């Protein structure tokens, strides 16, 4: 077996995954693209293990370790994406980044919305933050 065939296929898979990570806005598609990149690395590990005829089969062992890590990553990542989607109503990566920046600006002490008098009701506080988020969007 020539090493060039799986290496070219792995390079194409990795480039496709890299494009998906850089171009996609949906968090689930970004996670799928990361999985595609990890599969390209696994293909290279197994191909080089066969080509080098390693007695310990360390490339295949490392591939199994990478598959286990990828399964854990996709499980935790998908749980986070679903929790964010339930709270925000969108899995758009750009909107999540913008929301995180506005939340950090709201919590800075001494800001223009710093209410130290304590007269704001606990029930109306989230509604005020939602209005600010809509105004900045």
């Amino acid at each position: 077996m020539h090493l060039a065939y799986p290496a070219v296929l792995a390079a194409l898979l990795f480039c496709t995954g890299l494009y998906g990570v850089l171009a996609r806005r949906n968090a689930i598609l970004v996670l799928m693209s990361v999985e595609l990149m990890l599969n390209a690395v696994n293909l290279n590990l197994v191909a080089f293990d066969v080509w080098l005829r390693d007695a310990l089969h360390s490339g295949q062992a490392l591939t199994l370790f990478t598959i286990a890590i990828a399964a854990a990553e996709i499980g935790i990542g998908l749980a986070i994406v679903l929790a964010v989607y339930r709270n925000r109503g969108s899995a758009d990566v750009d909107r999540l980044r913008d929301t995180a920046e506005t939340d950090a600006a709201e919590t800075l002490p001494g800001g223009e919305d710093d209410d130290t008098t304590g007269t704001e009701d606990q029930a109306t506080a989230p509604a005020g933050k939602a209005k600010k988020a809509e105004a900045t969007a």
Side-chain angles (χ1 to χ4, degrees), residues 56-100:
L56 294 176
H57 298 291
S58 56
Q60 293 178 16
L62 192 57
T63 298
L64 289 175
F65 181 71
T66 307
I67 290 171
I69 295 296
E73 175 255 335
I74 204 68
I76 292 172
L78 193 58
I80 290 171
V81 167
L82 288 175
V84 167
Y85 181 77
R86 285 181 186 160
N87 288 336
R88 308 246 188 234
S90 173
D92 188 14
V93 177
D94 291 335
R95 287 188 59 202
L96 295 177
R97 184 183 57 224
D98 294 340
T99 305

Side-chain angles (χ1 to χ4, degrees), residues 17-64:
L18 185 65
Y19 173 75
V21 167
L22 295 176
R24 300 289 178 203
R25 298 188 190 277
N26 191 348
I28 294 175
L29 292 177
V30 169
L31 285 174
M32 288 175 59
S33 298
V34 168
E35 288 295 319
L36 199 61
M37 292 168 62
L38 287 172
N39 285 332
V41 170
N42 289 339
L43 181 61
N44 266 336
L45 284 171
V46 171
F48 276 97
D49 182 53
V50 169
W51 185 64
L52 293 173
R53 301 180 202 277
D54 187 19
L56 294 176
H57 298 291
S58 56
Q60 293 178 16
L62 192 57
T63 298
L64 289 175

